Amino acid sequence: MAVNFVSPAGEYAGAPSCGQLRQLDDEIIELLRRRRELVRELPPPTGPRGVDPSFDAAVRDTIGRYQEQLGGGSELVARAVLVLCDPGDRC
């Protein structure tokens, strides 16, 4: 699937349509799929993630980046991305 990103200034003229929203959803899904593939290539953690300071730091960093860029309720989005893209016991 080819991903065509919408520019920050708004590539689409006029009011947004349902088709444009579906296209944006498709782009987000594709990016999450690619992220999940990258995560799967990482080596598994050496111990339980709950006591792994590097995993904890990575989670805090990811959530912080989402909050900085999206504001408000983005912590839930960041946590969803981490869950969706974290197969098994990998960070």
Side-chain angles (χ1 to χ4, degrees), residues 7-9 12 16 29 31 35-37 39 41 46-47 50 52 59-60 65 74 81 84 86 90:
S7 69
Y12 303 113
I29 290 166
L31 288 171
R35 187 183 192 284
R36 183 180 58 211
E37 288 175 4
V39 168
E41 294 176 16
T46 57
D52 182 357
V59 169
R60 279 196 315 273
R65 289 184 307 166
S74 59
V81 167
L84 289 172
D86 183 3
R90 299 178 194 186

Side-chain angles (χ1 to χ4, degrees), residues 56-74:
D56 187 50
V59 169
R60 279 196 315 273
D61 177 61
T62 301
I63 291 171
R65 289 184 307 166
Y66 274 74
Q67 287 176 327
E68 182 179 302
Q69 295 297 318
L70 301 175
S74 59

Side-chain angles (χ1 to χ4, degrees), residues 10-61:
E11 190 173 292
Y12 303 113
S17 71
C18 290
Q20 292 167 337
L21 293 174
R22 278 192 298 275
Q23 179 183 351
L24 187 57
D25 288 338
D26 290 343
E27 292 170 8
I28 292 167
I29 290 166
E30 176 64 17
L31 288 171
L32 290 172
R33 185 194 62 74
R34 287 177 37 207
R35 187 183 192 284
R36 183 180 58 211
E37 288 175 4
L38 290 173
V39 168
R40 286 182 175 161
E41 294 176 16
L42 294 173
T46 57
R49 292 185 308 182
V51 295
D52 182 357
S54 64
F55 180 77
D56 187 50
V59 169
R60 279 196 315 273
D61 177 61

